């Protein structure tokens, strides 16, 4: 059975939109300039800047006397209150399932925060398994995390498993580089951005998840990645890559 692995934030879930909604609430509750949503979004870096860095910078900018722990709790409650999975994305998962695909989530971030998103958005029953970098002690782009995901989805990562597996994600250094190292085909969700990585490329590009799933289903019989890609993956294991964002709950997206 073919396996489709999916990133969570800004792939299945519009995480940046939820962050902006939290930022608007944060500013409104403290009578701070509404236009500073852009400042907060910039320092957030799409969730790849540690939460302690983002919230400490906000404390200094606005002279807040709230503790970092209190701000972190406010952030966690707020972003999860605004997170949702668009109906079109859920429909895309149903289409893939009906076509005979096994589905899994591969996410970098803190275990508690990411599991809460999966629970709140109803994604749990839609997939066969998931792996989150903190609890797995391994994060994208390390090929090991994709093997763990396959195992949890009931697919043994042996033999030619990679030739039947795709990865869909928006973050090139984690999702697309990781897929290449693991010997998987990939779809990059460009969100209107140009491709900027010279050392590797996705198999396909798409504007959003429904388009990506449609492309994967249409390309099921396409050739697998060249053997050299899988060979490079063989030597890459845990600890070989720097984390874009730490694995503790404090810094989860």
């Amino acid at each position: 059975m073919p396996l489709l692995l999916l990133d969570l934030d800004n792939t299945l879930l519009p995480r940046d939109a939820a962050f902006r909604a939290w930022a608007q609430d944060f500013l409104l509750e403290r009578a701070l300039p509404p236009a500073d949503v852009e400042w907060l979004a910039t320092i957030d870096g799409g969730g790849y800047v540690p939460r302690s860095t983002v919230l400490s910078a906000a404390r200094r900018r606005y002279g807040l006397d709230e503790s970092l722990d209190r701000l972190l709790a406010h952030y966690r409650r707020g972003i999860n209150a605004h997170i949702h999975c668009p109906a079109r994305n859920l429909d895309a998962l149903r289409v893939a399932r009906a076509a005979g695909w096994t589905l899994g989530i591969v996410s970098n971030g803190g275990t508690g925060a990411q599991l809460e998103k999966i629970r709140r958005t109803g994604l749990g029953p839609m997939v066969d398994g998931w792996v989150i970098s903190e609890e797995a002690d391994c994060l994208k782009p390390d090929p090991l995390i994709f093997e763990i995901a396959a195992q949890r989805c009931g697919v043994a990562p042996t033999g030619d498993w990679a030739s039947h597996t795709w990865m869909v994600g928006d973050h090139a250094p984690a999702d697309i580089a990781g897929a290449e190292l693991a010997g998987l085909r990939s779809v990059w969700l460009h969100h209107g951005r140009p491709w900027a990585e010279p050392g590797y490329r996705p198999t396909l590009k798409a504007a959003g998840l429904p388009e990506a799933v449609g492309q994967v289903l249409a390309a099921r019989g396409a050739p697998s990645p060249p053997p050299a890609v899988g060979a490079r993956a063989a030597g890459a294991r845990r600890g070989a890559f720097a984390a874009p964002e730490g694995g503790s709950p404090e810094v989860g997206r």
Side-chain angles (χ1 to χ4, degrees):
M1 183 174 289
L3 173 62
L4 179 58
L5 299 176
L6 305 130
D7 174 48
L8 186 62
D9 290 307
N10 293 326
T11 296
L12 284 165
L13 308 178
R15 181 264 170 202
D16 286 356
F19 177 87
R20 284 178 171 270
W22 164 81
Q24 290 172 346
D25 293 344
F26 175 84
L27 295 169
L28 180 63
E29 291 168 7
R30 292 159 180 79
L32 298 171
D36 275 11
V37 166
E38 297 305 320
W39 184 88
L40 288 166
T42 298
I43 199 169
D44 171 61
Y48 284 90
V49 175
R51 301 300 86 193
S52 58
T53 300
V54 174
L55 296 173
S56 292
R59 286 181 71 202
R60 292 192 303 272
R61 180 177 176 87
Y62 303 116
L64 302 177
D65 59 5
E66 298 172 80
S67 69
L68 187 58
D69 286 343
R70 182 175 177 180
L71 290 175
L72 180 60
H74 182 279
Y75 168 79
R76 291 287 177 231
R77 290 193 302 271
I79 196 167
N80 283 336
H82 290 291
I83 203 75
H84 73 288
C85 188
R88 62 184 181 276
N89 290 358
L90 293 173
D91 288 343
L93 296 183
R94 294 187 184 99
V95 169
R97 173 76 75 203
W101 287 74
T102 297
L103 307 177
I105 296 172
V106 187
S107 177
N108 284 355
T111 306
Q114 302 304 78
L115 282 179
E116 179 70 4
K117 292 174 187 175
I118 292 171
R119 184 189 68 80
R120 279 180 173 266
T121 57
L123 282 171
M126 302 291 293
V127 300
D128 296 282
W130 56 77
V131 57
I132 298 169
S133 61
E134 183 191 24
E135 52 88 11
D137 191 25
C138 176
L139 72 165
K140 299 176 290 187
D142 189 335
L144 179 58
I145 198 168
F146 301 99
E147 296 177 12
I148 294 172
Q151 290 175 328
R152 292 184 181 180
C153 290
V155 175
T158 58
D160 64 347
W161 78 280
S163 67
H164 303 291
T165 303
W166 285 75
M167 175 66 197
V168 178
D170 70 295
H171 189 60
D175 301 316
I176 307 307
E180 175 161 332
L181 290 169
L184 316 180
R185 285 174 284 181
S186 63
V187 185
W188 180 57
L189 302 190
H190 57 73
H191 298 314
R193 302 164 294 168
W195 181 258
E197 302 292 338
Y200 56 91
R201 299 187 67 82
T203 310
L204 300 169
K205 302 176 185 177
L209 185 69
E211 180 185 351
V213 170
Q215 290 180 346
V216 169
L217 268 58
R220 180 173 177 179
S224 302
V229 173
R232 287 201 301 272
R237 282 294 181 268
R238 185 184 318 232
F241 303 95
E245 182 180 60
S248 72
E250 173 196 309
V251 295
R253 296 175 71 182

